[in-house]
Amino acid sequence: MAARAGVSKSLVSLVLKNSPNVSESKRQAVLKAVAELGYRPDPVARSLAERRTRTVGVVIDDLSNPWYVALLDGLRPVLHRHGLRPLLADGHTEPDAVQALSDLRVDGLVLVGTPSPSAAEQVKALGDQIPTVVAGTREPRLSAVDVVANDDYRGAQLATSHLLELGHRRIAHIVGEGEVGRLRRVGYEAVMADAGLEPRCVTGDWTEATGHRVATGLLRSSDRATAIVAANDLSAIGVLAAADDLGLRVPEDLSVVGYDDTWFARLQRLSLTTIDSHITEVGEVAGRTLTARIDGERGTAGTRLLFPALVERSSTGPAPAD
């Protein structure tokens, strides 16, 4: 190809790497030779030469949850702009996903959502061999791992304060799992304590089915809650379904707040009041953090929290008169 273009092999290499240190005439000569010869770079040879695979392992905790899709919408464009391809793995069904990606010599890892105990142990074993970012939660807490997440504690405070301002006093909270669930519970409890109110926490998870089951129990109580802070938007959908089953009107009889501002919370039919956790931006910041590490940025791994915001829609209203 160098002979065809009338240039040196090193200059061909510069053009193929899109280096700016090449004159336009030489660049066009090389590109013309590439087209005429039908040349395609060998990614394996390139990886061996650069000692990089230009891939990033992305381990996802739950592929069925739309929250993860929104985070990936922020992460993937950042990786692509840096010439990196994401390799997705399901951490829920593949206990050795982190090790398998490491064996593929990925340039970096992103753990999206709460990693399984086995994934956390695999990351710990790798130490600082592979740049790693945890996105969307604050666990595992490892010295060599950067964390990018929403401030779940503050978000739960915003949700609970909104309901208090509407006059609600019997406010329940469906608690999610892991560190994220704990932080949201503590935020809810702090606001309730400041208002001199007894917290009403019930154990749940992140699913619609559990939200429906738990809310049904809450709403059948003689001293039923007039408002519920759900674990997340999916859980809130379950709460809305339970209220409908019991003949309760939303928001006249029951106010519901979700968390994450996923796409379905914005549907006119649902119009769910929720907390915007800036999921897509979490993905973007996680991507920028990882690419900086891959490019050689040093320093102690840290935690970056994005500030949440209340999004008020039609599922919340003034407390019903007793």
Side-chain angles (χ1 to χ4, degrees):
M1 185 187 301
R4 182 72 167 254
V7 298
S8 66
K9 291 182 179 179
S10 60
L11 194 140
V12 170
S13 177
L14 289 174
V15 172
L16 294 178
K17 291 179 180 178
N18 200 28
S19 170
N21 302 319
V22 180
S23 70
E24 188 58 28
S25 60
K26 298 291 188 183
R27 184 185 305 278
Q28 291 304 319
V30 172
L31 293 177
K32 181 180 178 182
V34 167
E36 291 173 349
L37 295 172
Y39 171 77
R40 296 189 64 181
D42 183 344
V44 175
R46 182 182 182 185
S47 296
L48 290 172
E50 296 180 349
R51 294 187 178 181
R52 289 183 58 179
T53 62
R54 297 195 173 273
T55 59
V56 168
V58 181
V59 182
I60 303 174
D61 181 51
D62 183 0
L63 289 168
S64 66
N65 191 324
W67 180 90
Y68 294 91
V69 177
L71 193 146
L72 287 175
D73 284 343
L75 173 66
R76 285 183 295 195
V78 176
L79 298 181
H80 290 156
R81 285 196 297 271
H82 284 77
L84 298 166
R85 292 186 298 111
L87 301 180
L88 301 185
D90 185 346
H92 185 69
T93 60
E94 301 174 47
D96 295 326
V98 170
Q99 187 59 56
L101 291 167
S102 172
D103 292 343
L104 292 173
R105 301 293 190 266
V106 292
D107 296 338
L109 286 170
V110 181
L111 307 184
V112 182
T114 303
S116 66
S118 62
E121 284 302 314
Q122 290 163 38
V123 170
K124 186 176 181 180
L126 291 171
D128 57 0
Q129 296 176 34
I130 302 176
T132 301
V133 174
V134 170
T137 185
R138 300 196 215 177
E139 52 189 338
R141 300 187 182 188
L142 302 174
S143 59
V145 175
D146 289 292
V147 172
V148 180
N150 155 73
D151 189 341
D152 297 285
Y153 176 86
R154 179 57 181 153
Q157 287 187 313
L158 291 173
T160 311
S161 296
H162 168 64
L163 294 170
L164 286 173
E165 289 166 5
L166 290 171
H168 293 275
R169 292 297 178 265
R170 300 197 301 273
I171 304 170
H173 174 48
I174 299 176
V175 182
E177 298 170 312
E179 182 67 2
V180 168
R182 186 192 72 80
L183 288 167
R184 293 180 187 178
R185 175 180 59 79
V186 173
Y188 155 82
E189 289 176 336
V191 173
M192 293 292 282
D194 286 345
L197 299 173
E198 188 71 24
R200 302 182 178 197
C201 292
V202 290
T203 301
D205 56 24
W206 310 114
T207 66
E208 178 185 358
T210 299
H212 180 274
R213 175 179 56 79
V214 171
T216 299
L218 282 170
L219 298 176
R220 281 179 172 163
S221 167
S222 58
D223 188 31
R224 68 170 181 83
T226 64
I228 294 177
V229 178
N232 62 350
D233 288 349
L234 273 175
S235 177
I237 299 301
V239 175
L240 295 175
D244 187 61
D245 290 345
L246 296 172
L248 297 174
R249 298 166 301 164
V250 175
E252 292 84 359
D253 302 317
L254 176 71
S255 287
V256 181
V257 182
Y259 204 113
D260 288 328
D261 196 26
T262 45
W263 64 269
F264 54 81
R266 305 164 204 154
L267 294 175
Q268 187 173 359
R269 190 78 172 180
L270 295 177
S271 190
L272 179 66
T273 296
T274 185
I275 299 298
D276 183 357
S277 58
H278 306 295
I279 314 168
T280 302
E281 188 178 350
V282 168
E284 293 173 356
V285 176
R288 293 199 298 269
T289 302
L290 183 71
T291 54
R293 292 294 189 186
I294 290 173
D295 290 341
E297 182 178 288
R298 296 291 179 260
T300 304
T303 297
R304 170 80 181 275
L305 297 181
L306 276 65
F307 197 77
L310 175 74
V311 182
E312 187 174 356
R313 297 193 180 98
S314 303
S315 69
T316 53
D322 289 330

